[in-house]
Amino acid sequence: MSLTMPQPDDAILARRGEIIAALRRIVPGEGVISQPHELKPYETDGLTAYRQPPMAVVLPETTAQVSAVMRYCNAQGVKVVPRGAGTSLSGGALPLADAVLLGLSKFSRVLDVDYENRLAVVQPGVTNLAITRAVEEMGFFYAPDPSSQIACSIGGNVAENAGGVHCLKYGVTTNNVLGVELVMMDGEIIRLGGRQLDAAGLDLLGVIVGSEGLLGVVTEVTVRILPRPQTARAVLVGFASIQSAAQCVADVIGEGIIPAAMEMMDRSAVHAAEAFANVGYPLDVEALLIVELDGPLAECDYLIGEVERIARANAAVTTRVSRNDAERLAFWAGRKAAFPAVGRISPDYYCMDGTIPRRRLPEVLQRIAGMSASHGLRVVNVFHAGDGNLHPMILYDANRAGELERAESFGNDILRLCVEVGGVLTGEHGVGVEKRDLMPVMFSEIDLAHQQRIKCAFDPGLLLNPGKVFPTLHRCAELGRMHVHRGQVSFPDLPRL
Amino acid sequence: MTSVLTPTTSDDLSDAIADAARSGTRLAIAGGGSKTEIGKPSNAVRLDMRGFAGIIDYDPPELVLTVGAGTPLSEVESLVAAHGQMLAFEPWDHGPLFGKPAGAATIGGVVAARVAGSGRLTRGGARDHLLRFEAISGKGERFVGGAKVVKNVTGYDLPKLMAGSWGRLAAMTQLTLKVLPRPRASATMVIYGLSPVRAHAAMARAMSSHAEVSAAAHIPKVSGAERSTTALCIQGFEPSVAARCALLVDVLRDHGTLHTLPAAEAESFWRAVREVTPLASSKTLWRIDVAPSTGPAIVDAFESLGARWLFDWAGGLIWLAFDGDAGRVRPAAERAGGHAMLVRAPEAMRTVVPAHHPRVPAVAALEFRVRRAFDPHGIFETGRFLDESNAD
Ligand SMILES: Cc1cc2nc3c(=O)[nH]c(=O)nc-3n(C[C@H](O)[C@H](O)[C@H](O)COP(=O)(O)OP(=O)(O)OC[C@H]3O[C@@H](n4cnc5c(N)ncnc54)[C@H](O)[C@@H]3O)c2cc1C
Ligand SMILES: Cc1cc2nc3c(=O)[nH]c(=O)nc-3n(C[C@H](O)[C@H](O)[C@H](O)COP(=O)(O)OP(=O)(O)OC[C@H]3O[C@@H](n4cnc5c(N)ncnc54)[C@H](O)[C@@H]3O)c2cc1C
């Protein structure tokens, strides 16, 4: 692997026993894990190409314990890596050899459901789906729905600003979180936001969401819940070319329709999904769209008709409307099984996550096909077409020498292409360690310095989840002095009124 | 000394800021200045951002718009309206509220002041629609945050911080905003004569229903009308709006009789709510953000002290016109778990009562560090917000 992680601190490693003893005093019983074989399950997250057992794992049960652990680690100069369910696809929860891995799995309670104000207060270890489960009997749901929703934790969702197929209409995590309780690296416990829509002062909650565990440990989350839509219907539309599928997507939105979800698969993805899930996808198409409309019955009926009309105008070769919920779910079953389906046709795959302006889709796919040929690796494309978030999956075999490296280099080329056409490195999976070294493709040194100064405002010792997100983590004092200015020219000519 | 700087290029702006940093000059970043009467008056040099005006890039099917930060709000609004789209956070011009002509507000000013209308309830605020910005920080450095695409988690979400930064972090030169299709049809249904408690209950019931209500507000009798009005807005495509209105009648049958407001009346009702016109004559105006269920007790308490008020955001936003003891307002908001902003007040009050609700010490200290991250010399600290011990 090509990635360099921060050099472990020998002085800290030498004090391992003492540090573990101190952690045991804070979190008694089975809350501290230190045996090598017990550390193994924690050595990686969803980005399994990278593995590193932590120095120790601590599983606190209360905010006070989290605070005490952080205060101790801060005072002793010990690094801390927060971990939710460990499903990150960017290595955000990858441990460090000289760091304490702070797991939130015991924070698994739904604390309050407030239907009157349409919100739920939960602990960070609660899974995404469990929030919906807790409120569905009253007809509500929690909208952001990452495909990993049975497993991933809401704390991890907050840290990654997770999205999902229904985020086109309902927004991503950041649009659905009202408040958090946060423990900072020095052990200070603060609350940002609350049960109201806006917080007083700077929107610090807005930077906490998506901060990838670098600014603080989230110990409580308040989320908005919404009434579950009365009905949902989906249309499956096949096209003879990517161009016409992309035009159809643009026209749907151009007509003022914001579907609940709008997903696209290319030919190889359709074939892989159909072979795996047998849901009746048309196999003679270059692109397949699943457009889901939800809301009151009258709205669904009307919009389904509109989408069919737009699809026909874009020369759709097949159009099928779900007649009942079972059929709608079948349409989704193939798309949702994209990962395991690809797992069946290739020993390993590497899932990318760039976003592009939608209008560039045909060109980008063509260039990805060219890269596929030159890297000698196949690629399968699924994407959140409504918001331009691509998930190309690069197929490789880690047992074949050099293939992992080739897959990574292919992936990096795709992400550079996304930035080149005006897009970004990651739409929902986060930078983590995976895209860390590509950050300069998108941001200048000055841009990154402004981001890192925020890190310094929260964690001046740079002890919380270091080695993630930033290609170079400058010491905070050094960053304060860094001053890049185009010259010492004053502004004598500037007009003054 | 009240001089004004009017840079028109990023380089000039950068020089002006770097120069201010060297000489210790304080800069008050201003758009149209429609909000200059918020907070304590200051004598900092005015940094007029209206030179950064114009539409930079607009591709309607992408739902993304890039404009100069000094572009008049009205110009942005008419451009997107011409393409059947809208700024879904419904920013509005505060000029008239402060006795100034309309039309001065800039897009940078409304975003920096986190201005949002009734649609904030369901479609999000400025924070949710600012995708990217370019700015010059307090060191005179040009930097960007975010990107020109709707879905992005690359690096910290700096646009969130910049929305609601009130000119205290950096001077924004360019903004990229998410735009949304303008609803094809709109209907407003009202119930007359509800008390605050019953209005809250009706709005909560409506918001929990399948009617997909996009805005909910309540103007009480005490604020000038002959009876109170609780209004629910339903928007979308024609057949859907009709069906949802019918559904709403059914859902709210235990709460009162629903009437459909004629279009012109509906429009003026929502403008009145958004621009707080029923409370326009009061000297002191507060904006209280709370969980909706706590609103009725707050307004009951202040009504008995002579206050007038209205609810927006299904009761989560209380506009309170209260000329009595300012010391009562914030404790009441805090007891409800929320906060209160002093929007309009006589100058004497503004020099002692901070515009923004004071934060607890740990959060205030953190905010201070974050502000210094962008503005290490404190040149954007004009003393206006009364929370800066070393500001003048
Ligand atoms: C099969 C599969 C499908 C996926 N589909 C999607 C998808 O559709 N959309 C999507 O957005 N993502 C998806 N993901 C990625 C992943 O599930 C999300 O990023 C998720 O939010 C991670 O949550 P987690 O609890 O597993 O966090 P972890 O993996 O444990 O941690 C992720 C990051 O969050 C930090 N963190 C975790 N908990 C906290 C906390 N309490 N406080 C502070 N920091 C914390 C960690 O330090 C780390 O940086 C998928 C992953 C898999 C394996
Ligand atoms: C709670 C509240 C209270 C208000 N009180 C008043 C009031 O007392 N008087 C009044 O006239 N209006 C008031 N307004 C209205 C509001 O100030 C303006 O409607 C809105 O900001 C219009 O933009 P502007 O260009 O006039 O902004 P300005 O009033 O010029 O600026 C508003 C804020 O944004 C900052 N800002 C402006 N442009 C930029 C930029 N390019 N980059 C960074 N920061 C920038 C300013 O420093 C200032 O803090 C209030 C609004 C709200 C939400």
Side-chain angles (χ1 to χ4, degrees), chain B residues 187-213:
Chain B
T188 295
M189 305 204 75
V190 296
I191 306 180
Y192 295 114
L194 295 182
S195 66
V197 172
R198 293 185 56 217
H200 158 69
M203 292 190 287
R205 180 71 193 92
M207 294 312 299
S208 302
S209 76
H210 292 134
E212 292 184 12
V213 171

Side-chain angles (χ1 to χ4, degrees), chain A residues 246-247 249-258 262 357-359 385-387, chain B residues 58-65 83 85 150 179 181:
Chain A
Q247 191 56 48
V249 170
D251 290 349
V252 167
I253 288 173
E255 291 278 320
I257 302 168
I258 302 289
M262 186 146 56
R358 270 185 284 102
R359 62 172 181 269
D387 45 32
Chain B
Y58 179 34
D59 187 353
E62 288 289 329
L63 304 178
V64 172
L65 164 71
H83 289 85
Q85 297 188 332
V150 172
V179 291

Side-chain angles (χ1 to χ4, degrees), chain A residues 193-214:
Chain A
R195 294 185 183 216
Q196 70 284 352
L197 291 180
D198 286 321
L202 280 182
D203 191 353
L204 296 174
L205 175 62
V207 254
I208 290 303
V209 180
S211 63
E212 304 198 22
L214 269 73

Side-chain angles (χ1 to χ4, degrees), chain A residues 46-70:
Chain A
L47 185 70
T48 49
Y50 299 95
R51 286 169 194 276
Q52 168 64 58
M55 178 165 66
V57 174
V58 57
L59 303 173
E61 288 179 53
T62 64
T63 300
Q65 288 176 349
V66 173
S67 166
V69 168
M70 306 276 280

Side-chain angles (χ1 to χ4, degrees), chain A residues 44-47 80-94 101-105 107 123-128 145-149 151-165 167 172-173 181-183 208 211-221 335-336 339-340 349 351 353 384 389 391 427-430 432-433 464-465 468-469, chain B residues 151 153:
Chain A
T44 187
D45 57 16
L47 185 70
V80 174
V81 175
R83 178 183 173 103
T87 66
S88 165
L89 291 173
S90 55
L94 178 70
L101 190 74
L102 193 157
L104 279 306
S105 55
F107 280 75
Q123 291 190 317
V126 171
T127 62
N128 173 292
D145 58 341
S147 313
S148 50
Q149 68 182 152
C152 64
S153 73
I154 186 68
N157 290 175
V158 167
E160 300 285 14
N161 191 11
V165 293
C167 288
V172 294
T173 304
E181 178 186 74
L182 185 81
V183 182
I208 290 303
S211 63
E212 304 198 22
L214 269 73
L215 299 182
V217 173
V218 173
T219 47
E220 189 188 293
V221 188
R335 165 64 182 83
K336 294 217 165 173
F339 282 3
Y349 62 90
C351 177
D353 173 47
H384 306 308
N389 188 190
H391 289 317
E428 57 183 16
H429 295 166
V433 294
L464 193 55
N465 215 3
K468 319 289 170 71
V469 182
Chain B
K151 200 149 168 223
V153 297

Side-chain angles (χ1 to χ4, degrees), chain A residues 309-323:
Chain A
R309 179 180 62 73
I310 296 166
R312 275 196 301 274
N314 281 292
V317 292
T318 52
T319 308
R320 276 175 55 201
V321 177
S322 66
R323 283 160 301 186

Side-chain angles (χ1 to χ4, degrees), chain A residues 202-207 454, chain B residues 112 127 130 133 157-166 169 370 374:
Chain A
L202 280 182
D203 191 353
L204 296 174
L205 175 62
V207 254
I454 294 178
Chain B
R127 73 186 301 271
L130 180 65
F133 66 87
D157 196 348
L158 298 191
K160 294 278 178 304
L161 262 190
M162 218 47 84
S165 59
W166 284 91
L169 299 178
V370 170
F374 290 89

Side-chain angles (χ1 to χ4, degrees), chain A residues 1-2 47-50 348-350 375 377 394-412:
Chain A
M1 66 175 163
S2 48
L47 185 70
T48 49
Y50 299 95
D348 298 285
Y349 62 90
Y350 182 34
H375 286 278
L377 294 174
I394 299 170
L395 314 189
Y396 70 99
D397 181 351
N399 289 328
R400 301 242 282 271
E403 278 211 2
L404 169 62
E405 288 72 19
R406 252 161 55 217
E408 287 187 334
S409 122
F410 182 4
N412 288 350

